[in-house]
Amino acid sequence: MVLDVHVLGTASARPTPDRAVSGSLVKGPDGIAVIDAGEGFQTRYAQQRRRLKNHSVGSTLKPGAVDVLAFTHGHLDHTWGAFPWLQSLNLENRQQPLLVLAPTSSIAIEALLDGAPLPGAVPPADLARQWLAWFSLGAEMIRFPIQWVLGDVLADRWAEVDPKTGRATLLDAMPQPAGWSKSTLSPLATRHAVPSCGWMVQQHPMAGKFDRARADTLNLNSKQRAMLARGENVQAEDGTAIEAAWFRGGERSAISVLISGDTESEPPGWAPEIAPTVLIHEATFLDEQQSKADEHQHSTATGAAASARAVGASVLALTHYSNRIKSSIGPQQEAAAEADGLPVVALNDNDRMVVHDDGRVAHLVWSKEGWKETSIAPNR
Ligand SMILES: [Zn+2]
Ligand SMILES: [Zn+2]
């Protein structure tokens, strides 16, 4: 199993001929998480599936495997393609449930709990507001089950919204996508002009491989091997104990991918123990536009490197470039200069980041001929 991230857009608010707005898919052991879905998302998703078919035999991104759509925040370059895509899934007769998650404020949650209109303090681009608009545009008519969940991420307060009434009910905790058991999706608060968070997909640690050679040396029978493989100790014929722990290589550590969405650098709460294997972080500006980054609560490439160090990432991948950034080489160089040995890659549209079970990371660079793989030695 691996985590395979498809980055379908690397522009910031305005697309360019070479870059689309945000929208990523994380394919993990349990299914697919879509993180943000800006304008044109469904077309870009279909194009990526065609590229996989032509250039990456065996890899798939079936829409039926998508269990969750999680938004980092409500700016339209991250959300405008979501509703048309949901309508297409409906037309395709999707049956599987879908969890939709988004950050909002407690002010918005309170109003929805009371069935009251959203107060003026809730910004126009807040996802609570957008969802109410989508509901009135027909999201309530969608036939497959959608669980609409809004949360105040810092307060860890989550509520489910009924698309028919627009009213919310409080939940005990943020739900996980249906059927997920080998991985977890979790939000991490960020700081931007509207309520925002990053999303981390973490594959749980796995036991190491069973040591067959050792079992052979000890002449163990198949029943003994099966018990040891399940983690049960057994007794040898002479009565001595044979411990299951002798046959397991060290536990393979959890692997994870964190997608920042839009944020200022080093948001509060980003601590080294979060330690994502790969951090995909916005780098809207270069150093020359630091004041713009501050003004709009975005990061520079240098700031992305600071975020990566703050959160203990092993690899940093940059995205979300402003129109002024023509080539990803500039952000790559500025971040690398600040990264203190941390490997930095700069993404372009349709690139993939693949994290293997043993922590190996590869950057799959898209070109018309297919994906070209570059291995990266993670900084551990
Ligand atoms: Zn953005
Ligand atoms: Zn934004």
Side-chain angles (χ1 to χ4, degrees):
M1 284 174 285
V2 294
L3 296 174
D4 187 356
V5 189
H6 298 251
V7 179
L8 304 186
T10 58
S12 58
R14 264 190 304 154
T16 71
D18 302 316
R19 298 189 195 281
V21 291
S22 293
S24 298
L25 296 97
V26 183
K27 186 178 181 186
D30 291 309
I32 298 171
V34 170
I35 313 293
D36 289 339
E39 182 182 340
F41 175 77
Q42 59 177 326
T43 311
R44 292 186 274 139
Y45 181 5
Q47 286 165 341
Q48 190 78 342
R49 291 188 68 203
R50 198 172 325 134
R51 290 183 198 107
L52 281 173
K53 203 172 152 204
N54 293 336
H55 299 285
S56 192
V57 178
S59 307
T60 58
L61 279 178
K62 292 202 176 88
V66 176
D67 299 312
V68 57
L69 163 61
F71 293 103
T72 61
H73 66 297
H75 284 151
L76 297 185
D77 56 314
H78 299 253
T79 67
W80 199 238
F83 182 48
W85 173 54
L86 295 179
Q87 287 200 309
S88 291
L89 291 176
N90 189 44
L91 293 171
E92 289 158 14
N93 270 321
R94 179 188 168 104
Q95 306 288 324
Q96 299 95 324
L98 182 72
L99 173 63
V100 185
L101 296 166
T104 188
S105 59
S106 273
I107 301 168
I109 291 177
E110 283 315 318
L112 295 172
L113 288 171
D114 293 344
L118 293 171
V122 177
D126 193 289
L127 276 151
R129 245 182 235 296
Q130 281 182 66
W131 286 9
L132 294 179
W134 298 354
F135 297 161
S136 69
L137 283 169
E140 57 159 312
M141 315 275 275
I142 289 174
R143 289 182 305 275
F144 63 89
I146 301 184
Q147 193 182 8
W148 300 89
V149 176
L150 287 166
D152 178 338
V153 175
L154 272 178
D156 195 22
R157 194 154 181 262
W158 299 87
E160 178 169 356
V161 191
D162 180 343
K164 293 209 165 57
T165 62
R167 288 192 77 135
T169 36
L170 220 48
L171 301 171
D172 294 335
M174 190 198 93
Q176 285 293 309
W180 281 32
S181 60
K182 303 184 191 80
S183 54
T184 307
L185 177 69
S186 37
L188 184 60
T190 51
R191 203 139 72 168
H192 194 44
V194 291
S196 63
C197 66
W199 289 101
M200 182 149 111
V201 178
Q202 181 168 49
Q203 181 177 302
H204 301 159
M206 297 191 310
K209 278 209 179 87
F210 187 73
D211 188 349
R212 283 206 202 124
R214 184 159 200 173
D216 291 343
T217 320
L218 291 173
N219 261 323
L220 299 180
N221 63 36
S222 57
K223 193 180 164 199
Q224 289 169 316
R225 285 168 199 247
M227 287 177 69
L228 290 164
R230 284 198 301 270
E232 299 164 34
N233 298 337
V234 301
Q235 263 190 358
E237 276 172 15
D238 64 4
T240 56
I242 301 174
E243 290 178 28
W246 302 346
F247 297 86
R248 284 281 171 212
E251 195 177 63
R252 289 194 247 174
S253 59
I255 53 170
S256 56
V257 172
L258 170 59
I259 297 180
S260 75
D262 294 3
T263 182
E264 46 176 64
S265 173
E266 297 179 82
W270 281 40
E273 60 270 20
I274 295 164
T277 317
V278 173
L279 168 65
I280 297 178
H281 197 287
E282 71 128 299
T284 309
F285 298 109
L286 294 172
D287 285 340
E288 61 187 16
Q289 288 195 296
Q290 179 67 57
S291 59
K292 264 207 131 149
D294 295 340
E295 184 189 339
H296 297 284
Q297 292 183 288
H298 278 296
S299 297
T300 59
T302 304
S307 284
R309 281 202 311 270
V311 79
S314 301
V315 173
L316 169 62
L318 304 174
T319 182
H320 201 273
Y321 316 114
S322 81
N323 288 39
R324 269 172 80 121
I325 298 175
K326 301 295 178 219
S327 154
S328 57
I329 293 169
Q332 201 275 337
Q333 287 177 340
E334 288 195 359
E338 196 62 28
D340 199 17
L342 178 80
V344 179
V345 301
L347 299 166
N348 289 301
D349 284 23
N350 316 317
D351 280 4
R352 294 156 66 186
M353 293 298 294
V354 176
V355 187
H356 295 273
D357 288 341
D358 56 8
R360 273 183 307 122
V361 177
H363 175 200
L364 273 63
V365 181
W366 169 252
S367 73
K368 275 191 273 275
E369 290 77 48
W371 284 280
K372 188 163 169 266
E373 180 167 338
T374 320
S375 309
I376 299 154
N379 185 29
R380 287 201 177 272

